[in-house]
Amino acid sequence: MRASRSRLSAELRSAARPTGEQLHRFEEFLTRTYHRTVPLHWEEDAALKSGFRLQVGSDVYDWTFDGRVRQFTDYLRQLQPGKDDLLPLMRQAVDDWELAAVPEEIGTVRTVDSEIATVTGLEHAQYGEILIFSGGVRGMVQDLRPDGLSCILFGDSEAISAGSMVRRTLKTAGMPVGDEFLGRVVDALGQPIDGRGRLRPQGRRPIEAPAPGILDRQPVNAPMETGLLAIDSMFPIGRGQRELIIGDRQTGKTAVAIDTILNQKGKDVVCIYVAIGQKTSSVAQLVENLKRRGAMDYTCVISAPAGASAALQYIAPYAGCALGEHFMHQGRDVLIVYDDLSKHAVAYRALSLLLERSPGREAYPGDVFYLHSRLLERSAHLSDELGGGSMTALPIVETQAGDVSAYIPTNIISITDGQIFLESDLFFSGQRPAVNVGLSVSRVGGDAQTKAMKSAAGAIRLELAQYREMEVFTQFSSDLDDATKRQLTYGQGLMRLLRQPQYAPFSQHQQVVILVSALGHVMQDVPLERMDAFRAGLLDYVETSGADLCRRIDLTGQLPPEDREEILTLAHEYLEQFRGGGKQGG
């Protein structure tokens, strides 16, 4: 690195005045380094207890005690000791190390305002580079201007004051990664916040990385089962897909994501849950629920709560994505939940306004679409040449009064491969998960279903749509014929079967049994108030009497005609028991 100004001057600082010989040696160093005569001025600085600090333009040569310690520390960090050779390596490093005339680019803080610091003097700093302020606070360059730069701060801004020094790290923001992150709760910088000690990362990945290209991907054709009958049967999610979960506040969006995480138990899927702008107590409760059900063994929670700075909330999903990419490039399957991107957009809007960027629609900056597209596009099913790993994204977005045409929802809908819309009216009527069949869609569709599920689901979505249409048409009519009444009863039964309690995902064979029985009209005459008991008893009966059948469905993912007939036979047998009021009928 060399100062690039046409007119250079050098400033030498020290506690004591240098001798004539020392000044002569400094002048020779300047001429040799910058190939010109550079005027040199000395200034007394009592804060420098020993050594000299030479500044030439934006280059700083720090030969003080602190500068030597920092240079030696950087030298040690470059060493890569083995398991047992740390002390010998350190002794050798002490013997071999020599103080070098290495220039540092050091800037000066001009202003500090809330979570933003403006800096002058760092002429070669790059967008996204990490800077270190006095006191150890770190920041990331977010705005480059002719008269300086602005950066967002990841620490306490009160520790920084105007006039303090800033150093470049020559590194972009990164996230420590490794297998030890599974089962842990960390912040947006990868530091543990669960009180269980330090983490030993296997490496670092940049939080901003280009998305895989078309040639680096392969089609999404393997299911990422949620365990929720309403979703797996009608809006299947594939490994490598981006499926948006959207709905008003308190309609069960997080519950859908958590049930999907629980359903990955024993399937060798790494799960990452990114909590953005949530209450700390809510995140703690979620972690406790995952622990209680054995899901934290394969899950990492990254939390940037409501009390965290907007800068940490801004980088949290990118940090989670970087961790997911670590596992994806190892050939593993990853499920990542961003909860939620509405708060992420609000945090970015706050930073943009503080950076004095021009506000646009709803005061969001013009690049808010790029904010989420460059995040979600990194989810993919990699080609076999790259290991065949996948990362499936479940972004969550909150709507206001069900308005899916608002700015942020429409942006993310256009980026993702489908959406699951949760409706408030359905939720409060007891239909949970409250999936709106008409507005929900998966653009991958049957490619993300096993043949057994595709065969069992059949035309359930069409039949539910017909039921909803008939329900609206007949709500003002009191005189209905028997066929219409039977169709309404059948549709009500289907809707009731799609109700599912939280933390109780269904396995594949359970979903197939329910769908085949329901679409075969086995449950046509079961009263709605006893439908839950009938479903539970039916599953117990089939798993007991047809254990080989259930195992076959789970292992092969196939549903030949003879297996379908066996399910219907067992369902009719149980129906007779249920009508007779046996124990299995509840």
Side-chain angles (χ1 to χ4, degrees):
M1 185 194 308
R2 293 289 180 266
S4 57
R5 295 177 181 174
S6 56
R7 293 185 178 181
L8 284 178
S9 62
E11 184 179 85
L12 182 66
R13 289 173 173 267
S14 62
R17 177 181 288 275
T19 64
E21 182 183 353
Q22 288 174 326
L23 285 173
H24 179 68
R25 289 169 60 186
F26 277 120
E27 289 171 348
E28 286 185 338
F29 169 77
L30 291 171
T31 302
R32 184 173 63 251
T33 304
Y34 295 98
H35 309 291
R36 71 182 78 176
T37 301
V38 180
L40 177 63
H41 308 282
W42 173 77
E43 186 171 330
E44 183 179 0
D45 191 341
L48 302 181
K49 298 180 180 179
S50 63
F52 301 90
R53 178 179 290 128
L54 177 66
Q55 181 166 355
V56 187
S58 59
D59 292 348
V60 175
Y61 299 86
D62 196 343
W63 291 304
T64 64
F65 176 76
D66 291 340
R68 297 178 186 186
V69 170
R70 188 166 53 253
Q71 192 177 130
F72 180 63
T73 303
D74 293 340
Y75 175 73
L76 287 179
R77 285 174 178 163
Q78 297 174 4
L79 303 177
Q80 297 181 349
K83 185 176 179 181
D84 302 319
D85 56 356
L86 179 60
L87 288 177
L89 195 62
M90 290 185 66
R91 293 192 186 99
Q92 181 182 351
V94 172
D95 294 336
D96 295 345
W97 180 73
E98 294 181 359
L99 181 65
V102 180
E104 284 187 286
E105 194 170 357
I106 295 180
T108 305
V109 175
R110 184 169 63 192
T111 61
V112 183
D113 183 13
S114 185
E115 301 173 19
I116 304 294
T118 57
V119 178
T120 58
L122 299 182
E123 297 179 356
H124 302 92
Q126 300 178 1
Y127 178 84
E129 183 178 345
I130 295 297
L131 306 179
I132 299 181
F133 294 80
S134 55
V137 177
R138 292 176 179 263
M140 183 171 74
V141 178
Q142 198 69 15
D143 215 7
L144 298 172
R145 300 180 181 179
D147 58 342
L149 57 87
S150 299
C151 65
I152 56 177
L153 303 175
F154 299 139
D156 186 7
S157 61
E158 294 183 359
I160 304 171
S161 59
S164 58
M165 288 194 305
V166 189
R167 286 185 170 83
R168 293 182 63 190
T169 63
L170 306 179
K171 298 177 182 178
T172 58
M175 172 73 177
V177 296
D179 291 345
E180 286 194 7
F181 280 81
L182 298 181
R184 301 298 298 271
V185 183
V186 300
D187 63 14
L189 300 176
Q191 302 302 314
I193 54 175
D194 52 7
R196 293 175 49 198
R198 297 180 60 185
L199 285 164
R200 291 172 295 178
Q202 296 173 328
R204 292 181 70 85
R205 288 191 67 89
I207 63 171
E208 296 269 14
I214 295 176
L215 297 180
D216 296 331
R217 300 172 181 249
Q218 61 177 308
V220 175
N221 51 23
M224 176 65 72
E225 295 165 334
T226 66
L228 299 172
L229 185 62
I231 295 174
D232 290 342
S233 61
M234 295 182 285
F235 317 106
I237 301 171
R239 300 195 178 194
Q241 188 176 343
R242 301 152 298 176
E243 185 78 1
L244 173 63
I245 303 173
I246 185 170
D248 284 1
R249 186 173 179 271
Q250 298 295 324
T251 52
K253 300 185 297 298
T254 301
V256 169
I258 296 305
D259 281 348
T260 305
I261 292 176
L262 294 178
N263 195 51
Q264 307 314 311
K265 189 173 184 178
K267 298 181 180 179
D268 195 27
V269 175
V270 173
C271 297
I272 301 171
Y273 178 83
V274 184
I276 310 164
Q278 298 186 32
K279 292 187 294 185
T280 305
S281 59
S282 299
V283 178
Q285 184 179 3
L286 181 146
V287 171
E288 187 58 35
N289 283 328
L290 292 177
K291 282 182 181 177
R292 195 179 305 124
R293 292 164 176 83
M296 278 301 291
D297 296 338
Y298 55 87
T299 303
C300 175
V301 175
I302 298 176
S303 178
S309 66
L312 291 176
Q313 293 183 43
Y314 160 58
I315 69 166
Y318 297 101
C321 189
L323 180 60
E325 285 175 330
H326 165 74
F327 294 106
M328 178 176 68
H329 286 285
Q330 289 182 343
R332 303 182 67 177
D333 293 312
V334 180
L335 171 68
I336 184 165
V337 178
Y338 303 111
D339 191 6
D340 65 66
L341 292 188
S342 302
K343 296 185 177 69
H344 181 232
V346 169
Y348 185 65
R349 176 173 63 183
L351 291 175
S352 297
L353 293 175
L354 289 171
L355 288 167
E356 299 179 355
R357 293 177 177 171
S358 299
R361 178 177 167 186
E362 298 177 29
Y364 288 105
D367 63 340
V368 73
F369 180 90
Y370 182 56
L371 171 77
H372 291 141
S373 65
R374 72 178 190 265
L375 169 70
L376 296 173
E377 289 291 345
R378 291 161 70 179
S379 298
H381 184 192
L382 295 180
S383 63
D384 291 333
E385 290 77 10
L386 294 178
S390 70
M391 182 160 63
T392 308
L394 294 182
I396 295 176
V397 166
E398 183 179 304
T399 56
Q400 304 291 329
D403 183 13
V404 295
S405 63
Y407 189 34
I408 299 302
T410 51
N411 277 350
I412 302 178
I413 285 173
S414 65
I415 297 168
T416 50
D417 307 312
Q419 69 274 350
I420 297 167
F421 180 65
L422 304 181
E423 188 178 351
S424 298
D425 292 343
L426 286 173
F427 183 83
F428 293 119
S429 68
Q431 187 70 31
R432 303 175 186 180
V435 179
N436 182 307
V437 177
L439 293 179
S440 301
V441 66
S442 172
R443 298 188 182 93
V444 174
D447 290 345
Q449 283 179 312
T450 62
K451 291 184 178 180
M453 178 60 73
K454 190 186 301 185
S455 174
I460 184 173
R461 188 175 181 184
L462 178 61
E463 298 203 15
L464 284 174
Q466 290 175 343
Y467 158 70
R468 293 295 295 271
E469 183 179 349
M470 187 177 296
E471 183 185 39
V472 173
F473 183 72
T474 59
Q475 62 182 332
F476 301 111
S477 176
S478 59
D479 186 17
L480 302 176
D481 60 84
D482 291 340
T484 302
K485 288 180 181 179
R486 191 167 181 80
Q487 183 70 25
L488 286 173
T489 303
Y490 173 60
Q492 290 169 354
L494 284 181
M495 292 295 292
R496 188 63 181 242
L497 280 174
L498 294 178
R499 291 189 183 185
Q500 196 168 336
Q502 192 176 359
Y503 309 129
F506 289 135
S507 63
Q508 181 177 207
H509 76 263
Q510 289 175 326
Q511 292 181 337
V512 169
V513 167
I514 294 170
L515 289 170
V516 169
S517 303
L519 297 177
H521 292 262
V522 175
M523 309 169 185
Q524 175 76 51
D525 298 323
V526 177
L528 288 180
E529 64 272 11
R530 301 192 66 191
M531 191 65 77
D532 292 345
F534 179 86
R535 182 179 64 185
L538 173 65
L539 291 176
D540 287 342
Y541 183 78
V542 173
E543 288 173 344
T544 302
S545 304
D548 292 339
L549 168 67
C550 297
R551 195 177 306 113
R552 200 159 54 240
I553 292 173
D554 284 336
L555 290 176
T556 66
Q558 305 282 340
L559 186 66
E562 56 271 21
D563 285 352
R564 178 187 290 273
E565 290 301 319
E566 184 177 351
I567 291 174
L568 289 173
T569 300
L570 292 172
H572 282 292
E573 290 176 3
Y574 177 72
L575 179 62
E576 293 302 319
Q577 295 184 17
F578 187 80
R579 284 173 175 168
K583 289 184 179 180
Q584 288 169 313

